[in-house]
Amino acid sequence: MARVGVVGASGYTGGELLRILATHPDTEITYATSREYAGKPITAIHPHLRGFYSTLKFSNVSLDEMLKKCDILFINTPQGVASELAPKLLEQGMRVIDLSPDFRLKNQQDYRVWYGFEHPRPELLDKAVYGMPELHREEIRNAELVACPGCNSTAALLALIPAVEAKIIELPRIVVDVKVGSSEAGIKPSLGTHHPERANVMRPYEADGHRHVAEVEQELKRLAKEEIHVALVPHAVGSVRGALATAHVWLAQDVDEQQVWRLYAQRYGREPFIRIVRGAPFRYPDPKYVIGSNFADIGFAVEKRIGRAALMAAIDNLMKGAAGQAVQCMNIMLKIDEKAGLNNPPLRPA
Amino acid sequence: MARVGVVGASGYTGGELLRILATHPDTEITYATSREYAGKPITAIHPHLRGFYSTLKFSNVSLDEMLKKCDILFINTPQGVASELAPKLLEQGMRVIDLSPDFRLKNQQDYRVWYGFEHPRPELLDKAVYGMPELHREEIRNAELVACPGCNSTAALLALIPAVEAKIIELPRIVVDVKVGSSEAGIKPSLGTHHPERANVMRPYEADGHRHVAEVEQELKRLAKEEIHVALVPHAVGSVRGALATAHVWLAQDVDEQQVWRLYAQRYGREPFIRIVRGAPFRYPDPKYVIGSNFADIGFAVEKRIGRAALMAAIDNLMKGAAGQAVQCMNIMLKIDEKAGLNNPPLRPA
Amino acid sequence: MARVGVVGASGYTGGELLRILATHPDTEITYATSREYAGKPITAIHPHLRGFYSTLKFSNVSLDEMLKKCDILFINTPQGVASELAPKLLEQGMRVIDLSPDFRLKNQQDYRVWYGFEHPRPELLDKAVYGMPELHREEIRNAELVACPGCNSTAALLALIPAVEAKIIELPRIVVDVKVGSSEAGIKPSLGTHHPERANVMRPYEADGHRHVAEVEQELKRLAKEEIHVALVPHAVGSVRGALATAHVWLAQDVDEQQVWRLYAQRYGREPFIRIVRGAPFRYPDPKYVIGSNFADIGFAVEKRIGRAALMAAIDNLMKGAAGQAVQCMNIMLKIDEKAGLNNPPLRPA
Amino acid sequence: MARVGVVGASGYTGGELLRILATHPDTEITYATSREYAGKPITAIHPHLRGFYSTLKFSNVSLDEMLKKCDILFINTPQGVASELAPKLLEQGMRVIDLSPDFRLKNQQDYRVWYGFEHPRPELLDKAVYGMPELHREEIRNAELVACPGCNSTAALLALIPAVEAKIIELPRIVVDVKVGSSEAGIKPSLGTHHPERANVMRPYEADGHRHVAEVEQELKRLAKEEIHVALVPHAVGSVRGALATAHVWLAQDVDEQQVWRLYAQRYGREPFIRIVRGAPFRYPDPKYVIGSNFADIGFAVEKRIGRAALMAAIDNLMKGAAGQAVQCMNIMLKIDEKAGLNNPPLRPA
């Protein structure tokens, strides 16, 4: 049994890690930290976990305890925290899975531009592995530091990877329109997430350049080895869970839907959490049908008339978009079954 | 591995049985019937199950095949079907778990009154065991025919059992106000379930006597051995999943909240799927925190000023209110771990 | 044109007053106060009002200005504020419509018990008129101080008034189960109203005695002139707007649905905002069909088997449950058409 | 008072026309047809209209009666009906406002391509005026036949018109991602609109070429007088009402947000139902804040880094996207106040 620690366990991603690990066959949670709830049972803020973890309380463990009590550690803190904490743990040989943006970007300058953030340990950026198994499985296996992608980025990348690799689309004119549920904003209340304001919205945000664009362009450029422009606009919609990326692309080659299908089926054929979607009546991906699971449903539509396509990826933002993908990375790092703890079907209807 | 058949597998309860059994360690599905979808892959109507059951198609199996191919059978059909089908299977020694109302009531006359239904095999009504483990665990163990409770009934009964057994409440003045999600109505579209009409409702229905009252009064009378009146009104609300029963009762004894808590804790202490809820900030049961699980959360409030209490039970209507409870009964019948296949935490937020 | 002031205009009830008065033919808004937003245009927090009130900004007017600039004043502040402010205005002859609980109760002691509040001006409690036109139209006409009912109270009372007046029900055993939308909690964010937590709830709250019980019992006792017990439990459900009161009552007389209908039709026949609901397919009241309007839909079901009935009232909590009823009172006070500004049909579907 | 007839009054757009016209100062409804509900009161299917139109029943009027009993007629029927009915009415001098797609396209061939429809009266296509006042106000004034735009088209066009006219964007690379509520699909139930399936969706549909593209390209080409390609994909989201068009465009000129603002403010400055949205905290258009009204909220974001912009338009799909815009056209045709019957603020929160 691997001993697992969770730093920042009182939010939604923390709760989701605890939920997944509650039935994971090869791990045990040794601590779950929360400054706000230290000393309280984890069910004080995670009522769904009543009956699980009956003896686990939120704690405020010291660095020493962190190092002693676990073999692998999830960091799940606001931007700027992990870049201070992780280096100290790495020096002592801890393996770290960071769910914050602190190690996603390779280029120190990108942190300045996109986050207004002077990265304190830029030398670690190269060491960090971008935690998307569909792109970096082999590097994740032996990584000391994994930087899990954002949820918008995960959906956008999964929709685009095969098309960009095969260069069937115009790379400087990629549009990604993302729809996301309210859980993406985390557990902290605000006017924008207040139920009367958040219910029934179709609300664009950060429409002039969302931060996740930085990592999406970084990873796609790596694949294409040429200039890529991604116009990505997220939209809050009325759901609690789910993220859908619709990549609107202009075709650079004269391909039809069947050819796109073959391309994606080939690229993703052995991926344990990718499902290609085709055929009525559930014709296109919809996050509704992956809720509670680590699956990403991928589909596409081609409009030959004007040489365009829609490439779509649907995920549960807290699972494949956050905690699920993090556990998938952990499984790879621990060299156990990649699906361990993650092999449940989605919930439906939900 | 027990071989399991599902008759009526294309609706929501059927889909939920398939979802649960997909990861059940001790069973395998040998057929899933559907007249409408016979010959089609189960993912044609259950898109969430993509990647599971890759070779399973809906079928129209004959009675002989039913008998040959499985050891235990779920019947999941509209009222009136199981009472014709089950007897033929029982005669051949099949063990049957019926999720329809056909065998819930003990009294043939009650079927006439509440369902306008002349039961074709009244002699089987005594043989059938009402499938609520909290009431009939021992009889379920060796039952040939289990009749699973309705979802409103499950919530109402779980809220009331300890209070009725201990006779701390006025038995002829029990009010149960139920709130339910839209999945309770099944997968068949209608104007009442059309999204624009069903979203945001607070809609009472069958307010002058819902059919589930018959089984609730039957089981409570059995416990109390005296006259009981239950005024039960369900209300459709905006959720997809969940049922909450709020039993509004007048106290027959001068008890306080602490005493009620002890009573319930004692009665339900060893129940694997009952969780007693107390303490802020998630003070009362809410189906929101059992979604996707077989748990029933139970709580209460006492207003001494006027000698009343609210006894509340929250379930996922498709789980503890239908498929989950049916699998719990199956586990008991198979004499395996009662929690097998059911031991996942609820999903939250959802 | 009557000059109208709104004290406390940045919340949902304030916004609703502004929305109604934007098209009211006989009034003009002269100020709208908000400490938090003073100096900002009202559309800073009320984006739906863009294009209306283009010159109106939130202000922090002095008592003198309040008195000079308006003929009638709405107070829309947290509990405890109006009882300090209103007396100063009343002394100078201002007519005040208070939407807070500060003047609803007649008995100073009730404020201690239900609100833990020592009322600073108990001598005004008798002067205040409880602002429900269906009960106090004539007193409202010449009132100097109107205390508008709470939204749960409005729904509960409208469901019960004719039955209590006619004494067809058991008065010491009244149960009222209320369902309410999220807008009832006001515009201030909290964990309980955070969208991921508030969406899809069926959440009981203040189940051991909600404050609105005090005014409901007060008004019903006035009608019945005998002891009345009201067990009222509100439940938050997934909607934004709407409140439904289902009064579960035990019949004291042997009446059928037709007789109940006649009783209600007679009592409410001339009420401009009461609609009696009967007949399929929209058989019972549902707040869904009064959204955005000042209507209260009333209906009932009788179960003769056990001598009980469900008496139901559906309102929009921000309209008939707050701002709409307040404007209805204002119209009566101004001796203009009672429906002025309020005569729009509800929105549907919504 | 103009006498108004509504052909096809039992659906959501029909109900919305009745709702608007219930308080319209210059019109009276003389008949409302429905084959399914003929003979029944309109409240049988429009429960929100209880208390209005107390004597109006759905009818099956003959062509003669249609002509005699009204001065102007709304046709609100499935595709293919109006093209048969309208010509007979026009011959007799009736003025017709068609809400179906039958007269939106100028080119007979486009009906074959996009609708698989052989138009029976292609000679009328030129006579019909596309019913968007922002484009064709003067022609609408004297039109005999107005063809109201689809709701996706209305949102898409309003977002794009000024940018296309000024040619600040790349015309052959326009992407429009639309989000819509469930009421867009009309009142007829189906699996796709069944609440458990439709709630919480983020569901792309007709992703390989939605029919509304035909009219969007037609109108934009008319403005640009050069080739235009529009990639438009609608997505069903969890709301009941609302449509948001996010036009993702690549800039052809080096403009900043301020310049875009000026362009739009100038183009739409005198439009009675266009509101330009800027400034926190409600920074971008969201249909949530136009619900129940005829307003279109327009906003934009420019990302200079890669020379792109998001041009956004939010409408209530049943109002500015259907019935509201139709009444706006009627007001123009009747040469009365363009805002008559439409001058209410949106509902919020909703």
Side-chain angles (χ1 to χ4, degrees):
Chain A
M1 298 287 270
R3 296 171 311 152
V4 176
V6 178
V7 172
S10 63
Y12 289 141
T13 307
E16 196 71 347
L17 283 169
L18 295 175
R19 183 180 74 85
I20 298 169
L21 296 174
T23 58
H24 195 291
D26 305 308
T27 60
E28 58 174 332
I29 300 260
T30 47
Y31 52 84
T33 83
S34 163
R35 263 179 304 183
E36 189 174 356
Y37 293 94
K40 295 199 176 160
I42 62 160
T43 54
I45 192 69
H46 295 311
H48 61 308
L49 297 178
R50 286 166 184 145
F52 297 83
Y53 301 111
S54 50
T55 59
L56 188 66
K57 294 187 177 183
F58 289 116
S59 58
N60 242 331
V61 292
S62 67
L63 198 69
D64 266 7
E65 283 177 289
M66 282 189 195
L67 290 164
K68 263 187 225 153
K69 289 191 173 165
C70 80
D71 306 313
I72 196 160
L73 184 81
F74 293 97
I75 300 183
N76 193 31
T77 50
Q79 198 273 316
V81 176
S83 49
E84 299 288 348
L85 174 61
K88 300 172 196 162
L89 296 160
L90 291 167
E91 278 163 22
Q92 304 292 325
M94 177 67 73
R95 302 182 79 185
V96 172
I97 301 170
D98 179 23
L99 288 95
S100 87
D102 278 17
F103 293 100
R104 291 178 194 159
L105 304 183
K106 296 300 166 199
N107 188 332
Q108 175 179 12
Q109 175 63 9
D110 281 347
Y111 278 103
R112 289 192 194 108
V113 171
W114 292 94
Y115 290 86
F117 175 59
E118 192 60 37
H119 201 289
R121 299 293 297 270
E123 75 280 9
L124 288 176
L125 296 178
D126 266 344
K127 189 185 183 76
V129 178
Y130 191 71
M132 180 174 280
E134 293 78 4
L135 283 176
H136 300 284
R137 181 170 284 109
E138 288 317 306
E139 300 149 85
I140 292 167
R141 201 174 302 278
N142 298 305
E144 292 166 33
L145 173 58
V146 166
C148 292
C151 72
N152 297 320
S153 317
T154 298
L157 284 168
L158 290 176
L160 284 163
I161 288 166
V164 167
E165 281 177 349
K167 302 201 178 178
I168 61 169
I169 64 174
E170 292 185 8
L171 299 178
R173 291 285 183 276
I174 297 173
V175 169
V176 186
D177 190 292
V178 179
K179 292 91 190 157
V180 292
S182 60
S183 59
E184 194 187 38
I187 203 172
K188 206 164 165 246
S190 70
L191 180 60
T193 63
H194 187 49
H195 184 275
E197 295 307 317
R198 184 61 177 69
N200 303 318
V201 292
M202 308 181 191
R203 181 204 296 164
Y205 63 94
E206 298 183 36
D208 52 2
H210 188 278
R211 288 168 169 189
H212 286 182
V213 168
E215 58 190 274
V216 173
E217 289 193 349
Q218 166 184 288
E219 295 298 310
L220 292 181
K221 273 178 196 163
R222 220 183 30 79
L223 298 176
K225 295 181 180 62
E226 49 182 282
E227 194 61 11
I228 280 200
H229 289 158
V230 176
L232 184 152
V233 180
H235 295 75
V237 298
S239 316
V240 171
R241 283 187 182 231
L244 175 77
T246 303
H248 301 275
V249 295
W250 301 94
L251 295 170
Q253 298 175 25
D254 182 28
V255 291
D256 60 20
E257 207 169 299
Q258 179 68 12
Q259 290 168 302
V260 178
W261 179 81
R262 267 196 220 114
L263 178 67
Y264 277 67
Q266 193 162 18
R267 176 62 175 83
Y268 288 140
R270 295 182 182 184
E271 284 300 333
F273 293 109
I274 306 273
R275 309 189 300 190
I276 307 288
V277 170
R278 284 180 100 195
F282 297 93
R283 186 174 174 191
Y284 298 123
D286 186 336
K288 185 173 175 78
Y289 302 114
V290 297
I291 294 305
S293 85
N294 198 47
F295 292 104
D297 280 4
I298 314 278
F300 17 78
V302 173
E303 185 178 16
K304 297 210 83 167
R305 182 183 69 94
I306 55 173
R308 60 161 277 268
L311 311 170
M312 296 158 278
I315 60 171
D316 180 327
N317 59 305
L318 292 177
M319 289 293 293
K320 185 65 180 170
Q325 184 152 257
V327 171
Q328 187 182 357
C329 288
M330 180 197 76
N331 289 344
I332 294 170
M333 293 165 80
L334 294 176
K335 301 184 177 63
I336 58 177
D337 177 8
E338 191 170 329
K339 300 174 85 167
L342 295 170
N343 200 18
N344 293 311
L347 197 65
R348 180 256 193 176
Chain B
M1 299 287 269
R3 297 170 309 152
V4 177
V6 178
V7 172
S10 62
Y12 288 140
T13 307
E16 196 71 347
L17 282 169
L18 296 175
R19 182 179 75 84
I20 298 169
L21 296 173
T23 58
H24 195 291
D26 304 309
T27 61
E28 59 173 332
I29 300 259
T30 48
Y31 52 85
T33 83
S34 162
R35 265 179 302 184
E36 189 173 357
Y37 293 94
K40 296 200 174 159
I42 61 160
T43 53
I45 191 69
H46 295 312
H48 60 310
L49 296 178
R50 285 167 185 143
F52 296 83
Y53 301 113
S54 51
T55 60
L56 187 67
K57 294 188 175 181
F58 290 116
S59 58
N60 242 332
V61 291
S62 66
L63 197 69
D64 266 6
E65 284 177 288
M66 281 189 196
L67 291 165
K68 263 187 229 154
K69 289 191 174 165
C70 81
D71 306 312
I72 197 162
L73 184 80
F74 292 97
I75 300 183
N76 192 32
T77 50
Q79 198 274 315
V81 176
S83 49
E84 300 288 350
L85 174 62
K88 299 172 196 161
L89 295 161
L90 292 168
E91 279 162 22
Q92 304 293 322
M94 177 67 73
R95 301 182 80 184
V96 172
I97 300 170
D98 179 23
L99 288 95
S100 87
D102 278 17
F103 293 101
R104 289 177 195 159
L105 305 183
K106 296 299 166 197
N107 188 331
Q108 176 178 11
Q109 175 61 9
D110 281 348
Y111 278 104
R112 290 192 193 108
V113 170
W114 291 94
Y115 289 86
F117 174 58
E118 191 62 36
H119 201 288
R121 298 295 297 272
E123 74 281 8
L124 287 176
L125 295 178
D126 266 346
K127 191 187 183 73
V129 177
Y130 191 70
M132 179 174 281
E134 292 78 5
L135 283 177
H136 302 283
R137 182 170 283 108
E138 288 316 306
E139 302 150 85
I140 292 166
R141 201 175 302 276
N142 297 305
E144 292 167 31
L145 173 57
V146 166
C148 291
C151 71
N152 297 319
S153 318
T154 298
L157 285 168
L158 291 175
L160 284 163
I161 288 167
V164 167
E165 281 177 348
K167 302 202 176 178
I168 60 169
I169 63 174
E170 292 186 7
L171 299 178
R173 291 285 182 276
I174 296 173
V175 168
V176 186
D177 191 292
V178 179
K179 294 89 191 157
V180 292
S182 61
S183 59
E184 194 188 36
I187 204 172
K188 209 167 163 243
S190 70
L191 181 59
T193 62
H194 187 49
H195 184 275
E197 295 305 320
R198 185 61 177 69
N200 303 319
V201 292
M202 308 180 191
R203 181 205 293 164
Y205 64 93
E206 299 184 36
D208 51 2
H210 188 278
R211 287 166 169 191
H212 285 182
V213 169
E215 57 190 276
V216 173
E217 289 193 349
Q218 165 185 289
E219 294 298 310
L220 292 181
K221 274 177 194 162
R222 219 181 34 77
L223 297 176
K225 294 180 180 64
E226 47 181 284
E227 196 59 14
I228 279 199
H229 289 158
V230 176
L232 184 153
V233 180
H235 295 76
V237 297
S239 316
V240 171
R241 285 187 180 231
L244 175 78
T246 302
H248 301 275
V249 295
W250 300 94
L251 296 170
Q253 297 175 25
D254 182 28
V255 292
D256 61 18
E257 207 170 299
Q258 178 69 11
Q259 288 168 304
V260 177
W261 178 80
R262 270 197 218 110
L263 179 68
Y264 276 68
Q266 193 164 17
R267 176 59 176 84
Y268 287 141
R270 294 184 182 183
E271 285 301 333
F273 294 109
I274 306 274
R275 308 189 300 191
I276 308 288
V277 170
R278 286 179 101 196
F282 297 93
R283 185 172 175 192
Y284 297 123
D286 186 335
K288 185 174 176 77
Y289 301 115
V290 297
I291 293 306
S293 84
N294 199 47
F295 292 104
D297 279 4
I298 314 280
F300 18 77
V302 173
E303 186 180 13
K304 297 210 86 168
R305 184 184 67 94
I306 53 172
R308 60 161 280 267
L311 310 170
M312 297 158 277
I315 59 171
D316 180 327
N317 59 305
L318 293 176
M319 290 294 292
K320 186 64 181 170
Q325 185 154 254
V327 170
Q328 187 182 357
C329 288
M330 181 196 76
N331 290 344
I332 295 169
M333 294 164 80
L334 294 176
K335 300 181 177 66
I336 57 176
D337 177 7
E338 191 170 328
K339 300 174 85 168
L342 295 170
N343 201 16
N344 293 310
L347 196 66
R348 180 258 194 173
Chain C
M1 298 288 269
R3 298 170 310 152
V4 177
V6 178
V7 172
S10 62
Y12 289 142
T13 307
E16 196 71 347
L17 282 169
L18 295 176
R19 183 181 74 85
I20 298 168
L21 296 174
T23 58
H24 195 292
D26 304 308
T27 61
E28 59 173 331
I29 299 260
T30 47
Y31 53 84
T33 82
S34 162
R35 264 179 304 183
E36 190 175 355
Y37 292 95
K40 293 197 177 162
I42 61 160
T43 54
I45 191 69
H46 295 310
H48 60 309
L49 296 178
R50 285 166 185 145
F52 295 84
Y53 301 112
S54 50
T55 59
L56 187 67
K57 294 187 176 182
F58 289 116
S59 58
N60 243 331
V61 292
S62 66
L63 197 69
D64 266 7
E65 282 177 290
M66 283 189 195
L67 290 164
K68 263 188 226 152
K69 287 191 174 166
C70 81
D71 305 312
I72 196 160
L73 182 81
F74 293 97
I75 299 182
N76 193 31
T77 51
Q79 198 273 315
V81 177
S83 49
E84 299 288 349
L85 174 61
K88 299 172 197 162
L89 296 160
L90 293 166
E91 279 162 21
Q92 305 292 325
M94 175 69 71
R95 302 182 79 183
V96 171
I97 300 171
D98 179 21
L99 289 95
S100 87
D102 278 17
F103 293 100
R104 291 178 193 159
L105 304 183
K106 296 299 167 198
N107 189 331
Q108 176 179 10
Q109 175 63 8
D110 281 347
Y111 277 104
R112 291 191 192 109
V113 171
W114 292 93
Y115 289 87
F117 175 59
E118 193 60 37
H119 201 289
R121 298 294 297 271
E123 74 281 8
L124 287 176
L125 295 177
D126 266 345
K127 190 187 184 75
V129 177
Y130 191 70
M132 180 174 282
E134 292 78 6
L135 283 176
H136 300 284
R137 182 171 284 107
E138 287 316 306
E139 300 150 84
I140 292 166
R141 201 175 302 279
N142 298 306
E144 291 166 35
L145 172 58
V146 166
C148 291
C151 70
N152 297 318
S153 318
T154 298
L157 285 168
L158 291 175
L160 284 163
I161 288 166
V164 167
E165 281 177 349
K167 301 199 178 181
I168 60 169
I169 63 173
E170 291 186 9
L171 299 178
R173 291 286 182 275
I174 296 173
V175 168
V176 186
D177 191 293
V178 178
K179 293 90 191 157
V180 292
S182 61
S183 59
E184 193 188 38
I187 203 171
K188 208 168 162 240
S190 71
L191 181 59
T193 62
H194 188 48
H195 184 274
E197 296 305 318
R198 185 60 177 69
N200 303 318
V201 293
M202 308 182 192
R203 181 203 295 164
Y205 64 92
E206 299 184 35
D208 53 2
H210 188 279
R211 287 168 169 189
H212 286 181
V213 169
E215 58 190 274
V216 173
E217 289 193 348
Q218 165 185 289
E219 294 298 310
L220 292 181
K221 274 178 195 162
R222 220 182 33 77
L223 297 177
K225 294 178 182 65
E226 47 182 285
E227 195 59 12
I228 278 196
H229 289 158
V230 176
L232 184 152
V233 180
H235 294 76
V237 297
S239 317
V240 171
R241 284 187 180 231
L244 176 77
T246 303
H248 301 275
V249 295
W250 301 95
L251 295 170
Q253 298 175 25
D254 182 28
V255 292
D256 61 18
E257 208 170 299
Q258 178 69 13
Q259 289 168 303
V260 178
W261 179 80
R262 266 195 222 115
L263 178 67
Y264 276 68
Q266 193 163 17
R267 175 61 175 83
Y268 288 141
R270 295 184 180 180
E271 284 301 332
F273 293 109
I274 306 273
R275 309 191 299 190
I276 308 288
V277 170
R278 286 179 100 195
F282 297 93
R283 186 173 173 190
Y284 297 124
D286 185 335
K288 188 174 173 76
Y289 302 114
V290 298
I291 295 304
S293 84
N294 199 47
F295 291 104
D297 280 4
I298 314 278
F300 18 78
V302 173
E303 186 180 14
K304 298 211 84 169
R305 183 183 68 93
I306 53 172
R308 58 161 280 269
L311 310 170
M312 296 157 278
I315 60 171
D316 180 327
N317 58 304
L318 292 177
M319 290 292 294
K320 185 65 181 172
Q325 185 152 256
V327 171
Q328 186 182 356
C329 288
M330 179 196 78
N331 290 343
I332 295 170
M333 293 164 81
L334 293 176
K335 301 181 176 66
I336 58 177
D337 177 8
E338 191 170 329
K339 301 175 84 168
L342 295 170
N343 200 19
N344 294 310
L347 197 64
R348 182 258 193 173
Chain D
M1 298 287 270
R3 297 170 311 151
V4 177
V6 178
V7 172
S10 62
Y12 288 140
T13 308
E16 196 71 348
L17 283 169
L18 295 175
R19 182 180 75 83
I20 299 168
L21 296 174
T23 57
H24 195 291
D26 304 308
T27 60
E28 59 174 332
I29 300 261
T30 47
Y31 54 84
T33 83
S34 162
R35 264 179 304 183
E36 189 174 355
Y37 293 94
K40 295 199 175 160
I42 62 160
T43 55
I45 192 67
H46 295 311
H48 60 309
L49 297 178
R50 287 166 183 145
F52 295 84
Y53 301 113
S54 50
T55 60
L56 187 67
K57 294 187 176 181
F58 289 116
S59 58
N60 242 331
V61 292
S62 66
L63 197 70
D64 265 8
E65 282 177 290
M66 281 188 196
L67 291 164
K68 262 186 224 152
K69 287 190 174 167
C70 81
D71 305 313
I72 196 161
L73 183 80
F74 293 96
I75 300 183
N76 192 32
T77 51
Q79 197 276 313
V81 176
S83 49
E84 299 288 348
L85 174 61
K88 299 173 197 161
L89 296 160
L90 293 166
E91 279 163 20
Q92 303 293 325
M94 176 68 71
R95 301 181 80 182
V96 171
I97 300 169
D98 179 24
L99 288 95
S100 87
D102 278 17
F103 293 101
R104 290 177 193 159
L105 304 183
K106 295 299 167 200
N107 187 332
Q108 175 178 13
Q109 176 61 9
D110 281 347
Y111 278 104
R112 290 192 193 109
V113 170
W114 291 94
Y115 289 85
F117 175 59
E118 192 61 38
H119 201 289
R121 299 294 296 271
E123 76 280 8
L124 287 176
L125 295 178
D126 266 346
K127 189 187 184 76
V129 177
Y130 191 71
M132 179 173 282
E134 292 79 5
L135 283 176
H136 300 285
R137 180 170 284 109
E138 287 316 307
E139 300 150 84
I140 291 167
R141 201 176 302 277
N142 298 306
E144 292 167 32
L145 173 58
V146 166
C148 292
C151 70
N152 297 319
S153 319
T154 298
L157 285 168
L158 291 176
L160 284 163
I161 288 165
V164 167
E165 281 177 350
K167 301 200 178 181
I168 61 169
I169 63 174
E170 291 185 9
L171 299 178
R173 291 285 182 276
I174 296 173
V175 168
V176 186
D177 191 292
V178 179
K179 294 90 191 158
V180 292
S182 61
S183 60
E184 192 187 38
I187 204 171
K188 207 164 164 245
S190 70
L191 181 60
T193 61
H194 187 48
H195 184 275
E197 296 305 320
R198 184 62 176 70
N200 303 319
V201 293
M202 308 181 192
R203 183 202 294 164
Y205 63 94
E206 299 184 36
D208 52 1
H210 187 279
R211 287 169 169 188
H212 286 181
V213 169
E215 58 192 274
V216 173
E217 289 192 349
Q218 165 184 288
E219 294 298 310
L220 292 181
K221 274 179 196 162
R222 219 183 30 80
L223 297 176
K225 293 178 182 65
E226 48 181 284
E227 196 60 11
I228 278 197
H229 288 158
V230 176
L232 183 153
V233 180
H235 295 75
V237 297
S239 317
V240 171
R241 285 188 181 229
L244 175 77
T246 303
H248 300 275
V249 296
W250 301 95
L251 295 170
Q253 298 176 25
D254 182 29
V255 291
D256 60 19
E257 207 170 300
Q258 178 69 12
Q259 289 168 303
V260 177
W261 179 80
R262 266 195 223 114
L263 178 66
Y264 276 68
Q266 192 164 18
R267 176 60 175 84
Y268 288 141
R270 294 183 182 184
E271 285 300 331
F273 294 108
I274 306 273
R275 308 190 300 190
I276 307 289
V277 170
R278 288 178 100 194
F282 298 93
R283 185 172 175 191
Y284 298 123
D286 186 335
K288 186 172 175 77
Y289 302 114
V290 298
I291 294 304
S293 84
N294 198 47
F295 291 103
D297 279 3
I298 313 278
F300 19 77
V302 173
E303 186 179 14
K304 297 210 85 168
R305 182 185 67 95
I306 54 173
R308 59 161 280 268
L311 312 170
M312 297 159 277
I315 59 172
D316 180 328
N317 58 304
L318 293 176
M319 289 293 294
K320 186 63 181 172
Q325 184 154 257
V327 170
Q328 187 182 356
C329 288
M330 180 196 77
N331 289 343
I332 295 170
M333 293 165 80
L334 294 176
K335 300 180 177 67
I336 57 177
D337 178 7
E338 191 170 328
K339 301 176 84 168
L342 295 170
N343 201 19
N344 294 311
L347 198 64
R348 181 260 191 171

